[in-house]
Amino acid sequence: MAGSVGGGSGGHGQSGGGEGQGQGQGQQSASAKGGKEEGGTVVAAATPHTRRRFVPMEEFERQGIFSSRGDGNDATSRGHVMSSTSPWVPILGAIANYGLCATYPSVLVGPCGIVGGGSGTDGGDSYSNETNGLPDNGIGLLRRCAAFRSENRLPALTWGSPHHGGSIWRCSQPKVGLQGNRSIEDERYLYAIAEEAKRANLKADARLAGGVGGGSNGEDRPPTEFLRMLCGRNNESDLIMDGSNPCSLKIMDMRPKSAAMANRTQGYGYENTNYYRGASINFYGIGNIHAVRDSYQKVCALCLSPNTSDIQWMQLVENTNWLSMARLILSASRQTAFHVHYNQLPILLHCRHGWDRASQVAALSQLLLDPHYRMREGFSTLVEKDFLSFGHPFHTRCGHGEGKNEQGGDEGQLSPIFIQFLDCIFQLVNQF
């Protein structure tokens, strides 16, 4: 943007000496602001852009999910180092212009068996070519899988272990409806995720020379009573997997089951695990945006009221349900981290659209799993990745700059989801 600086233009109204002095002040001012003078006109320097913290390929490579799985210490009977390619590969071409999903990052990660067009055991780079090497049938499968999900938000990886198949995936609710609709492509896609994770776990067990092949290493697991204490005996049989409940993919629905069933009347719902081989589903009862908004308003009214009783303070705070919802979110996050770290399972998180409650739980569980996200730089990357890039509607939820009755606004969509997430982090840091 071109223009004159105030000091320079002000000098034109003075005599010769004053004009030269004014121009000199203008040049000095422009120099101080980082601009340059061209033909007597000062060109202002461009405002530097805010640095992006989340660069998809850089972040996924930092996680190590694309690296070959092999530590160089194990050898096969032929004397070669035992290693395998990553079970996950990036989806580049299909999502580059946000044509597949408008509320996802520009780079997604999927199972090698589908995206890579093979089993992923040939030792080559399955994503080395510019078009991602995605076969036509793979692109069609991704599109049909996305079409079966609300807002086209198909399952996509947000965090993965570099050592085994434990990983965190995100999506939205399926379009099941009252008729019990199903998608063969969606079922195949989730089955591929489970199979690739299982293959990675088998390789990890072989490298550890003592694993059981299912991915869980009993030596690293805390005592059963300690685990029961941690989970508060909530979903105890689901957390402590002893072989009697085989599962290769865990679907964690953040909604109450009653709400998930009610969404079937609108054409949505939840996965029928009879059609998803090796998958199980649990519901975690976290309130929707309306419940969060109502609870937050109760907390604000309680804190601002001059007539609040000090004697009943704790009971009044509990009655707002704010802490109860925080407990449910933290519990779901801890169970996610537990399944990924100890059971080495791929976890699929979703709520209704997959950008509110799923964002909270995905981010909190990564804080528990990855120490990089506990630092300032890593935390900003985490927020930019799991809230901004994965489609959390900040403007709709916060309503910054909009009045209550302005045209085009939707007060019913306002909800302090991110404030609730920050409070969960406070509780996590304060207690542990």
Side-chain angles (χ1 to χ4, degrees):
M1 180 181 294
S4 59
V5 180
S9 61
H12 291 292
Q14 302 174 1
S15 61
E19 181 177 356
Q21 183 181 3
Q23 290 178 354
Q25 292 175 354
Q27 293 174 9
Q28 183 178 3
S29 177
S31 175
K33 294 182 179 180
K36 63 180 181 178
E37 184 179 4
E38 295 181 358
T41 302
V42 176
V43 180
T47 303
H49 294 288
T50 302
R51 180 174 61 87
R52 291 182 60 188
R53 270 72 171 184
F54 172 56
V55 180
M57 287 301 296
E58 292 182 7
E59 172 59 22
F60 291 134
E61 287 174 356
R62 182 205 64 80
Q63 295 178 15
I65 59 176
F66 299 143
S67 60
S68 297
R69 309 301 169 97
D71 55 12
N73 297 324
D74 301 303
T76 62
S77 58
R78 297 182 181 180
H80 299 295
V81 174
M82 180 178 294
S83 64
S84 62
T85 57
S86 169
W88 323 121
V89 293
I91 304 172
L92 303 174
I95 193 68
N97 297 321
Y98 302 97
L100 190 62
C101 178
T103 57
Y104 266 180
S106 58
V107 175
L108 300 181
V109 177
C112 184
I114 296 292
V115 180
S119 62
T121 58
D122 58 355
D125 291 334
S126 58
Y127 58 95
S128 59
N129 101 23
E130 293 181 359
T131 60
N132 194 57
L134 193 61
D136 292 339
N137 59 345
I139 295 177
L141 185 143
L142 290 177
R143 289 174 177 168
R144 288 187 289 272
C145 182
F148 186 65
R149 296 281 173 173
S150 172
E151 305 293 337
N152 286 346
R153 294 171 64 88
L154 75 162
L157 183 143
T158 184
W159 189 89
S161 169
H163 307 296
H164 50 73
S167 49
I168 302 174
W169 300 72
R170 301 181 51 167
C171 68
S172 60
Q173 63 180 341
K175 298 178 180 179
V176 176
L178 294 174
Q179 295 79 16
N181 302 322
R182 55 184 295 195
S183 169
I184 300 300
E185 292 78 13
D186 190 71
E187 297 164 17
R188 180 184 168 193
Y189 191 80
L190 293 188
Y191 181 70
I193 293 174
E195 287 299 300
E196 291 295 337
K198 186 183 298 183
R199 179 179 64 82
N201 290 339
L202 289 171
K203 293 291 184 179
D205 287 345
R207 290 194 299 271
L208 291 172
V212 298
S216 58
N217 188 356
E219 295 181 357
D220 294 334
R221 290 167 59 92
T224 302
E225 287 302 319
F226 179 73
L227 298 180
R228 288 173 176 166
M229 179 189 69
L230 283 180
C231 65
R233 301 187 181 274
N234 183 29
N235 291 334
E236 175 182 328
S237 60
D238 172 68
L239 270 177
I240 306 173
M241 305 180 69
D242 55 4
S244 60
N245 50 351
C247 173
S248 54
L249 173 70
K250 177 68 64 178
I251 302 173
M252 298 178 61
D253 195 325
M254 301 297 104
R255 302 169 292 180
K257 187 173 183 179
S258 57
M261 295 180 66
N263 283 336
R264 296 185 63 180
T265 61
Q266 302 175 12
Y268 298 100
Y270 58 94
E271 295 83 357
N272 185 344
T273 53
N274 292 328
Y275 302 136
Y276 291 88
R277 287 181 289 176
S280 63
I281 186 170
N282 288 90
F283 299 89
Y284 291 84
I286 302 174
N288 59 16
I289 60 171
H290 310 293
V292 176
R293 182 180 63 248
D294 294 343
S295 178
Y296 183 72
Q297 290 174 348
K298 291 178 181 178
V299 171
C300 292
L302 179 64
C303 294
L304 296 175
S305 174
N307 300 320
T308 301
S309 172
D310 291 341
I311 298 177
Q312 298 178 327
W313 172 256
M314 298 303 295
Q315 180 182 352
L316 294 173
V317 171
E318 184 66 24
N319 290 340
T320 65
N321 289 328
W322 181 263
L323 296 179
S324 298
M325 283 191 288
R327 179 189 180 278
L328 291 174
I329 295 170
L330 288 170
S331 176
S333 303
R334 195 205 64 80
Q335 292 182 50
T336 300
F338 181 92
H339 282 305
V340 170
H341 183 68
Y342 290 112
N343 295 326
Q344 300 178 4
L345 288 174
I347 304 299
L348 180 64
L349 303 174
H350 73 72
C351 45
R352 186 178 182 183
H353 296 301
W355 55 40
D356 289 313
R357 289 164 282 190
S359 293
Q360 293 174 324
V361 174
L364 285 166
S365 58
Q366 289 173 73
L367 277 173
L368 299 175
L369 287 166
D370 195 333
H372 172 72
Y373 295 131
R374 300 171 206 159
M375 297 184 290
R376 182 177 300 176
E377 180 75 13
F379 183 75
S380 60
T381 302
L382 179 67
V383 171
E384 189 168 323
K385 174 169 68 77
D386 276 278
F387 280 88
L388 289 169
S389 292
F390 270 96
H392 176 68
F394 269 101
H395 183 73
T396 304
R397 295 291 178 260
C398 299
H400 289 311
E402 292 186 1
K404 293 185 177 180
N405 299 318
E406 285 188 5
Q407 186 176 2
D410 189 353
E411 188 178 356
Q413 294 298 311
L414 297 177
S415 186
I417 296 296
F418 192 70
I419 293 178
Q420 187 181 48
F421 165 72
L422 294 178
D423 186 52
C424 288
I425 292 179
F426 168 78
Q427 300 296 340
L428 191 64
V429 173
N430 191 46
Q431 296 185 43
F432 303 103

